[in-house]
Amino acid sequence: MCLMAAAAVAGQFALSGPALAAPAPDGGAGSPQVSVQPALPFPVPPKIPEFDAEFYQPPAEIVASKAPGEIIAARQVNLATLNVIPTNVDAWQVSYRSNNGRDEAIAAVATVIKPRGGTRDGAPRPLLSFQMAEDSLGRYCAPSYVMQQAAVPWLLTGAVTSGAQFLEVQAALAQGWAVVVPDHQGPNSSFAAGPVAGRITLDGIRAAENFAPMQLSGRSTKVGMVGYSGGSIPTGHAAELRKTYAPELDIVGAAEGGVAADLGALVENADNALGSGIVASGVIGVSREDPELAAFVDERINPVGRALFAAKDNLCVAWNSSVAPFLNLKGFFDGGDPLQNPIAKKALARTAMGRSVPDMPMYIYQSNPDWLVPVGPVNTLVDTYCKDPSASVAYTRDHFSEHLSLEVAAVPSVILWLRDRFAGEPAQQGCSTTDVGSIALDARTWPVWQQVVGEEVAGLFGKPLGA
């Protein structure tokens, strides 16, 4: 692996060096132009977000003066597989204004990526908003840092989900699609806090359309959204919020899997089980955006739970998942079952999906024997949506997969579904539920596997993605 990485780096700089230059000095169509800072020269490492407050945490008065999605600052970045092997694309980070779940102004950051080359059919380039399963409690775990060349390797920091899902981002870029990857957990690393994550996602789409170097078609850009597991939280909430929060966006479809529709059900499912470590981190993350819940946790948590929560604070997903599996989560709280307390019930209700029906086609896929995200609440969510005759939901339940394997197996089917949406193919009217043995056995997806793997291997050796 080390030899291959070294060869790829050498080949990338020898063959593609000039293409790494910034394509444009300024950007900001639809909002005041901002100066775009050049990328750091390799091997200069980028600052981790906690020590890069000027970009990640601009002054509150500047943030409040902007409209949601309006860009505050921008800089070019170099992306790399395993933080070493350069990815031959044009990429930038944008800092922009968004809102938290109480509609208070906050700063947000997203990575916007443009393939090199035109689209497959010559049509205007669509935009995919890819919500990674960050599932972490520190800003250094955010995708904007994890995807960068010369960043601290994600295999060390524990940001394994964002690091691995960068390969899925590359699969989307290979289709000729532009991609925006928001740091949807926001400035407080609020893992599992859906209301703020949905707003940051929608404002990230606005920012990408506002950014001139992306060469998109402004508000007429066709947009898709995708997210799995922790990424389903911002995707699902953004889908439900679009018609009231960002009605001008032309979102033609949203795909989500491993859907965390009901956080209370996740706590019940993880209690004394393998997933207790990561679900406990979700409780911490939600409380960072909910002052009432934070006060409840602080009042009711016992000393053992307090020590556990302190140990998890600021860890990335691999390490906070491995701290305290198979523990009694509810037993860390005094005063009976915490899920039955009115304060906790209200907090969980605010984070639950199903509060409104998305006004876009939805592709939902779920492992039936999922050990982390139970299928029952997903069935309920689909039923809730489908009570509305205008809903368009294609729901696939996979019976041979589990939580981790389904994400990989479903990549080609998601790409095919999004291809149709971007091509203007009409989505199904109404709702359908399909039970399959394995989603990977669909022969229509096999050529997509071949194309994706071939493009990504070529990309490791310097081929421009999407060209």
Side-chain angles (χ1 to χ4, degrees), residues 258-269:
V259 183
D262 182 344
L263 300 186
L266 264 69
V267 174
E268 290 281 11
N269 186 67

Side-chain angles (χ1 to χ4, degrees), residues 65-428:
S65 71
K66 305 294 183 181
E70 188 174 348
I71 295 170
I72 299 167
R75 60 191 180 191
Q76 190 184 24
V77 292
N78 295 323
L79 308 182
T81 302
L82 296 174
N83 304 110
V84 175
I85 306 172
T87 307
N88 202 341
V89 293
D90 294 318
W92 303 265
Q93 289 174 352
V94 292
S95 171
Y96 59 96
R97 184 256 173 90
S98 188
N99 293 325
N100 62 19
R102 300 177 298 280
D103 284 322
E104 299 164 344
I106 58 171
V109 170
T111 306
V112 293
I113 315 168
K114 183 173 72 65
R116 291 178 172 156
T119 56
R120 291 175 176 271
D121 55 5
R125 195 184 302 279
L127 175 67
L128 178 66
S129 184
F130 194 110
Q131 286 64 250
M132 289 186 172
E134 187 178 333
D135 297 5
S136 301
L137 296 171
R139 295 205 72 168
Y140 68 101
C141 316
S144 62
Y145 180 76
V146 173
M147 294 188 292
Q148 286 191 78
Q149 188 177 34
V152 178
W154 50 266
L155 291 171
L156 297 179
T157 65
V160 294
T161 46
S162 295
Q165 286 184 322
F166 183 42
L167 294 175
E168 296 179 44
V169 169
Q170 293 179 48
L173 292 163
Q175 309 305 307
W177 305 337
V179 177
V180 54
V181 183
D183 292 356
H184 56 77
Q185 293 187 178
N188 297 323
S189 297
S190 305
F191 169 34
V196 65
R199 287 165 170 81
I200 289 174
T201 296
L202 293 170
D203 287 324
I205 295 169
R206 285 167 162 160
E209 294 180 351
N210 286 341
F211 191 56
M214 285 289 279
Q215 300 175 353
L216 297 172
S217 303
R219 294 297 180 251
S220 63
T221 302
K222 289 184 178 179
V223 180
M225 299 191 299
V226 66
Y228 187 84
S229 188
S232 74
I233 295 172
T235 303
H237 281 270
E240 294 187 9
L241 282 167
R242 189 212 71 93
K243 59 188 171 187
T244 56
Y245 187 79
E248 78 282 5
L249 297 179
D250 184 17
I251 301 179
V252 298
E256 57 180 355
V259 183
D262 182 344
L263 300 186
L266 264 69
V267 174
E268 290 281 11
N269 186 67
D271 206 28
N272 297 301
L274 176 62
S276 64
I278 191 168
V279 172
S281 300
V283 174
I284 297 171
V286 172
S287 69
R288 290 177 174 180
E289 287 295 326
D290 191 321
E292 188 177 25
L293 179 63
F296 169 78
V297 170
D298 186 63
E299 177 186 345
R300 296 295 184 90
I301 196 165
N302 62 33
V304 175
R306 192 177 299 277
L308 170 68
F309 278 27
K312 286 177 168 295
D313 198 41
N314 211 40
L315 294 181
C316 296
V317 57
W319 309 131
N320 68 31
S321 298
S322 60
V323 174
F326 300 107
L327 290 184
N328 180 5
L329 289 179
K330 295 194 290 185
F332 291 134
F333 292 86
D334 296 329
D337 187 344
L339 296 183
Q340 300 307 312
N341 185 279
I343 294 175
K345 283 186 174 182
K346 285 196 298 181
L348 292 171
R350 287 191 287 268
T351 64
M353 296 183 199
R355 294 162 66 91
S356 66
V357 179
D359 60 348
M360 66 197 68
M362 300 289 294
Y363 174 39
I364 298 175
Y365 50 103
Q366 180 74 24
S367 163
N368 198 57
D370 195 312
W371 54 270
L372 180 61
V373 181
V375 70
V378 186
N379 295 338
T380 300
L381 178 68
V382 171
D383 290 343
T384 300
Y385 286 163
C386 293
K387 290 176 182 177
D388 188 324
S390 67
S392 173
V393 180
Y395 178 34
T396 297
R397 285 189 297 238
D398 185 306
H399 291 262
F400 291 170
S401 66
E402 47 74 56
H403 186 75
L404 299 178
S405 60
L406 178 62
E407 178 183 4
V408 178
V411 168
S413 66
V414 170
I415 288 175
L416 283 176
W417 189 83
L418 286 167
R419 276 185 189 173
D420 286 345
R421 304 291 77 76
F422 288 145
E425 296 287 337
Q428 70 170 46

Side-chain angles (χ1 to χ4, degrees), residues 9 98 150 227 461:
V9 171
S98 188
F461 290 92

